[in-house]
Amino acid sequence: MRSVEIAENQKTRDPFFDNARFLAVVLVVIGHTVTLLPPTNATHPAVLLLQTFRMPLLIIVTGHLARNFVFSDEKVRGLITRIALPYVIFETFYSLYAWHTGVAAFNLQFLMPTYLMWFLMSVFIWRLTVPFWRNVRWPLAIAVALTVISYTHAMPHELTLRRLFSLLPFFVLGVCLERKHFQILKKPSMAAAGVVVLAGGATFYYTGGRYVPEYWTYWDRGYAWLDVGLFPGVFIHVGVLLLATALAAAVLTLVPRRQTWFTAFGTKTMYAYLLHGFGTMTIVYTGLHQTAFMQTTPGMLISVTGAAVVATLLCTPPVTKVTRRLIEPKATWLFPANAMPSGPSTAQPVDLTRPDANSSPAGGPPSDAVPDEAERRSVYSPS
């Protein structure tokens, strides 16, 4: 019976979304690597371009594949085992590593995520809000209003609320999008439009856009920190949101629609996301990013290539087999015996952007006044 379910799932699974989330995570890993390197006139605009859309792209896909979340026992248990437990495990590991590398004394604070762990914290909270977005009018307008309002206030560093609100519109956009909208992006004719949009974004950043403060693309600073008033701050803010959305959509037009050699890796993006941070932290710890060669354009290109290779390797079976107990904990001990399904496990492969079972086929320091502890927890690079 289980083999029949697996075969049916493989038949109906849309490879486009697995391809999209794998490529999105590869871009995230590349972004975490290149932002460590000192900027140059040749590379800085390209880094800004990537920084603008890499997390929005991942979050849009995440929101779309989480759009059927409801408060059922099965989905709540899945949220705990797929997001909450890996967060606790890797927050502990990252805190220990920060202590080991001498960044700070060991001080484990689960409500103040270390480095890239803010994303799991945000995904956990965002998923809990899905029923709200599915049941109100103008959900996207409400989300944009919330993020604009959040930029006018100082935000506590716990739960990384700044980024949670800053990137909320992209998650809500993903929840609101239907498969028919993605069918438009998947049309072959749209690929040319996507190339034009990306070329326009690159042109923008290599001309006047290079003077736009890069902190806008970190999604963790308020208007006061960015040294702008409410006006024109709101207009700049909305403009950055629209630019990031357009660039993310452009990338989606280039995502393969068919099964590829990396489609299967799209079900293992949690591994690449959670594990690659130790590599970037090690680069900082050893000072590799400050060597003369790494500050050249060839050094940047090698860094990009190396990051892409590492992201891919972290999704391969040898890595997932060794680390599965940490990233996909069974946690049967956590729930009452009568709450767990009997018979063979029906759990699906864990992924940051895993579609819900009912889905149709298809770093820099935080904002405002930054305390020492908050600085420590995002010291390695903008996430």
Side-chain angles (χ1 to χ4, degrees):
M1 182 65 179
R2 176 59 181 155
S3 60
V4 174
E5 292 176 357
I6 295 175
E8 186 64 25
N9 183 59
Q10 291 175 339
K11 286 182 181 179
T12 59
R13 193 181 191 94
D14 188 346
F16 171 81
F17 291 100
D18 288 332
N19 294 336
R21 54 191 175 179
F22 170 72
L23 294 174
V25 165
V26 169
L27 291 174
V28 168
V29 176
I30 291 173
H32 282 160
T33 303
V34 298
T35 50
L36 298 177
L37 307 179
T40 68
N41 290 334
T43 61
H44 186 55
V47 172
L48 281 179
L49 177 68
L50 177 62
Q51 188 75 5
T52 301
F53 74 83
R54 62 181 177 87
M55 288 309 302
L57 171 63
L58 179 60
I59 292 168
I60 289 171
V61 177
T62 300
H64 180 69
L65 296 176
R67 70 194 185 285
N68 288 323
F69 178 84
V70 294
F71 289 107
S72 67
D73 290 346
E74 180 183 2
K75 290 189 182 294
V76 171
R77 291 195 300 269
L79 184 63
I80 293 171
T81 56
R82 297 175 190 129
I83 302 295
L85 281 182
Y87 172 84
V88 171
I89 292 169
F90 278 85
E91 174 62 27
T92 303
F93 285 166
Y94 275 114
S95 296
L96 285 169
Y97 196 85
W99 165 73
H100 173 70
T101 55
V103 174
F106 181 70
N107 187 14
L108 185 61
Q109 296 185 29
F110 287 112
L111 296 184
M112 189 177 289
T114 301
Y115 190 26
L116 49 74
M117 296 308 297
W118 70 268
F119 183 52
L120 264 69
M121 173 72 77
S122 296
V123 169
F124 182 87
I125 297 173
W126 285 334
R127 280 204 176 193
L128 293 175
T129 67
V130 167
F132 172 81
W133 304 116
R134 295 296 301 271
N135 286 280
V136 296
R137 299 181 67 180
W138 314 300
L140 192 55
I142 294 173
V144 172
L146 286 174
T147 191
V148 169
I149 293 172
S150 74
Y151 268 55
T152 65
H153 293 74
M155 304 289 286
H157 299 287
E158 286 76 13
L159 308 182
T160 59
L161 288 178
R162 173 69 72 200
R163 275 186 174 143
L164 187 149
F165 280 106
S166 296
L167 293 160
L168 175 64
F170 301 111
F171 182 83
V172 176
L173 174 61
V175 171
C176 295
L177 289 174
E178 300 177 10
R179 292 298 166 97
K180 63 182 180 181
H181 300 127
F182 285 96
Q183 292 300 327
I184 296 174
L185 294 177
K186 291 161 64 175
K187 291 181 178 179
S189 59
M190 291 299 293
V195 171
V196 171
V197 172
L198 289 172
T203 301
F204 168 73
Y205 277 117
Y206 272 96
T207 55
R210 70 170 64 189
Y211 301 108
V212 175
E214 63 180 299
Y215 295 119
W216 282 98
T217 67
Y218 292 167
W219 310 101
D220 66 350
R221 323 267 170 145
Y223 296 141
W225 204 103
L226 292 164
D227 198 26
V228 294
L230 184 61
F231 301 100
V234 172
F235 294 102
I236 299 174
H237 187 185
V238 173
V240 174
L241 290 172
L242 292 174
L243 176 60
T245 302
L247 293 172
V251 173
L252 288 173
T253 65
L254 304 177
V255 171
R257 298 173 294 281
R258 64 187 183 282
Q259 197 86 11
T260 68
W261 62 268
F262 56 80
T263 300
F265 296 157
T267 66
K268 300 298 180 182
T269 52
M270 176 75 92
Y271 291 83
Y273 187 86
L274 287 178
L275 296 174
H276 85 273
F278 295 107
T280 54
M281 292 167 77
T282 301
I283 290 174
V284 175
Y285 177 55
T286 59
L288 180 62
H289 63 302
Q290 296 178 337
T291 60
F293 176 73
M294 298 305 293
Q295 299 179 33
T296 64
T297 299
M300 172 71 76
L301 294 176
I302 290 177
S303 297
V304 170
T305 303
V309 171
V310 168
T312 302
L313 292 176
L314 291 177
C315 296
T316 57
V319 176
T320 60
K321 182 178 180 180
V322 171
T323 58
R324 180 172 290 118
R325 290 181 180 274
L326 299 175
I327 297 177
E328 299 185 58
K330 293 182 179 180
T332 54
W333 52 269
L334 188 58
F335 307 106
N338 59 0
M340 299 302 296
S342 59
S345 172
T346 59
Q348 297 296 317
V350 174
D351 194 288
L352 279 177
T353 52
R354 177 189 178 278
D356 288 310
N358 293 333
S359 297
S360 60
S367 58
D368 307 313
V370 183
D372 292 341
E373 179 63 14
E375 178 77 24
R376 191 273 291 178
R377 304 185 82 79
S378 58
V379 69
Y380 295 98
S381 74
S383 296

